[in-house]
Amino acid sequence: MKDKKPVLITIVVLLLIFTPLTVISAFVKVGKNPLDENPGHDFYYENKLWFYDDNNELISKYECKTTKCDLATTTITDNEYGINYYKDGKLTKVNNNNKFTFIKDGVLTYLVNVSSGTALQKYLQIKNYNTKVEEDIYILQNENKLWGALSIGDALSPVIPFEYDFLGILNNVSDDYLKVNDFIALKNNKWCLIDKNDSIVSSYYNEPIIDYSSKYIITKANNRIKIYDYEGLEYLNNLNFSDYALYNDYIGLLMNNMVYIYNNLNSNYIKSININSTGSTGKLTIREENNQIAVKIGDNIVSYLN
């Protein structure tokens, strides 16, 4: 036993020396702190959402109420009304900005203060068309199923109060942002346009507003396209159009394989185009291409306006 005692002491000493070194070596090797509450800095860990800054320092933790807990996803219902909305968004989840973010926890969406990890408000649905909207505007549906809008930046700024049955934004992307000129709004079964000050800027319409320009408002119901001005005057109400296109002051109308181009519906059309001979099919559009204003059916140019 006397001969074995020095050997035992040596083993204990070596363990005391090399065990910490092994832990440190593992930490250096994988870049993780084994004493950290969340060693891998995972976003979801132990039923919490963990927020870190750009330097990978912990900001806060959000305590999940359910096991289905993540950054919020958005809902788009504009297609139910045929609205010309932005369809090419790639953001499947709402990104946080280190100030505020939206969390989907169970069936509810929560607006969370990232600095404290606390929920400020809860909503049923959130909409940003899977892209960045100017002024970080989000369209939200509250628990009373009414829609409003909120700007989420360094501070929270109400944009539209929660009193509408529907709110939508037209497809108008510039500089990688979805622009907000006006909101398409539904309230008490009437449709109108409202600006970012919640001021009504058009007349009220019985059919869903699906598109608009600075001069004209397009509605559609039961496959019938109608054209109005902002005061509610209807144009060409004795005709039945199968498609339309808006571009600046131009409006194109498709009827019986003929496209009629106007720049003022109080005057006669400025151009008619027979598309039978072109064999073109698809959506009617008017857009600038190669410094010319092109009238297109699907991918085919059927005429130019200048």
Side-chain angles (χ1 to χ4, degrees):
M1 288 296 295
K2 290 182 179 180
D3 293 337
K4 293 180 179 179
K5 187 174 181 180
V7 175
L8 181 60
I9 293 173
T10 301
I11 292 172
V12 171
V13 171
L14 290 174
L15 285 173
L16 291 173
I17 293 172
F18 286 107
T19 298
L21 290 176
T22 301
V23 173
I24 294 171
S25 174
F27 168 56
V28 172
K29 183 177 180 180
V30 301
K32 297 179 180 179
N33 183 354
L35 303 179
D36 198 325
E37 291 183 274
N38 181 1
H41 287 192
D42 300 309
F43 182 56
Y44 179 82
Y45 182 71
E46 293 188 343
N47 207 40
K48 300 181 184 71
L49 299 182
W50 302 68
F51 297 102
Y52 293 89
D53 64 18
D54 294 337
N55 296 318
N56 217 21
E57 295 292 330
L58 181 65
I59 301 173
S60 69
K61 296 174 285 186
Y62 168 80
E63 296 274 353
C64 294
K65 299 172 177 60
T66 71
T67 56
K68 295 182 179 180
C69 188
D70 200 351
L71 288 174
T73 55
T74 62
T75 301
I76 303 174
T77 59
D78 301 44
N79 58 314
E80 295 178 12
Y81 304 105
I83 293 170
N84 177 23
Y85 70 93
Y86 182 64
K87 303 176 181 66
D88 297 323
K90 306 299 182 186
L91 300 179
T92 57
K93 295 180 180 179
V94 176
N95 294 327
N96 80 78
N97 63 0
N98 288 340
K99 294 287 186 179
F100 305 96
T101 195
F102 289 99
I103 298 300
K104 186 70 177 292
D105 195 350
V107 298
L108 293 175
T109 294
Y110 294 87
L111 173 62
V112 172
N113 185 329
V114 173
S115 64
S116 63
T118 55
L120 303 177
Q121 300 288 343
K122 52 187 173 182
Y123 304 98
L124 296 180
Q125 297 185 75
I126 177 174
K127 180 166 61 176
N128 70 342
Y129 299 92
N130 299 325
T131 191
K132 297 289 291 182
V133 182
E134 69 173 347
E135 299 179 22
D136 286 318
I137 289 175
Y138 291 85
I139 299 174
L140 303 159
Q141 185 188 48
N142 66 13
E143 290 186 287
N144 295 322
K145 296 186 177 181
L146 294 175
W147 291 87
L150 195 64
S151 176
I152 311 294
D154 290 337
L156 303 176
S157 301
V159 179
I160 303 296
F162 290 86
E163 55 186 41
Y164 294 95
D165 300 309
F166 173 86
L167 276 182
I169 301 173
L170 203 63
N171 180 6
N172 181 17
V173 174
S174 178
D175 299 325
D176 297 324
Y177 281 87
L178 185 59
K179 299 295 184 181
V180 184
N181 295 323
D182 296 310
F183 293 89
I184 297 172
L186 171 65
K187 185 177 181 180
N188 298 327
N189 294 317
K190 296 290 185 179
W191 293 82
C192 66
L193 297 180
I194 57 175
D195 64 19
K196 288 185 286 186
N197 297 314
D198 192 36
S199 297
I200 299 171
V201 296
S202 75
S203 183
Y204 290 99
Y205 307 90
N206 294 320
E207 311 86 25
I209 296 173
I210 62 170
D211 211 338
Y212 63 88
S213 67
S214 61
K215 295 170 64 175
Y216 302 113
I217 290 175
I218 309 295
T219 72
K220 186 176 182 180
N222 300 320
N223 291 321
R224 175 74 187 275
I225 295 170
K226 296 184 178 182
I227 308 160
Y228 296 91
D229 65 13
Y230 276 64
E231 284 69 45
L233 175 65
E234 185 178 358
Y235 291 93
L236 305 175
N237 57 351
N238 59 330
L239 300 177
N240 192 5
F241 307 102
S242 57
D243 204 357
Y244 75 95
L246 294 172
Y247 179 80
N248 294 340
D249 288 336
Y250 293 105
I251 179 169
L253 300 170
L254 176 61
M255 182 176 63
N256 298 328
N257 292 316
M258 292 291 297
V259 175
Y260 300 94
I261 305 296
Y262 296 81
N263 60 10
N264 186 344
L265 289 175
N266 289 310
S267 303
N268 200 6
Y269 56 83
I270 61 173
K271 192 165 193 174
S272 63
I273 307 160
N274 188 330
I275 63 171
N276 263 334
S277 59
T278 67
S280 301
T281 59
K283 181 79 177 71
L284 170 65
T285 57
I286 305 173
R287 63 182 61 180
E288 184 175 344
E289 292 194 5
N290 301 320
N291 297 318
Q292 297 187 83
I293 299 175
V295 180
K296 303 180 70 174
I297 300 291
D299 295 327
N300 299 325
I301 297 174
V302 294
S303 185
Y304 291 100
L305 299 182
N306 59 354

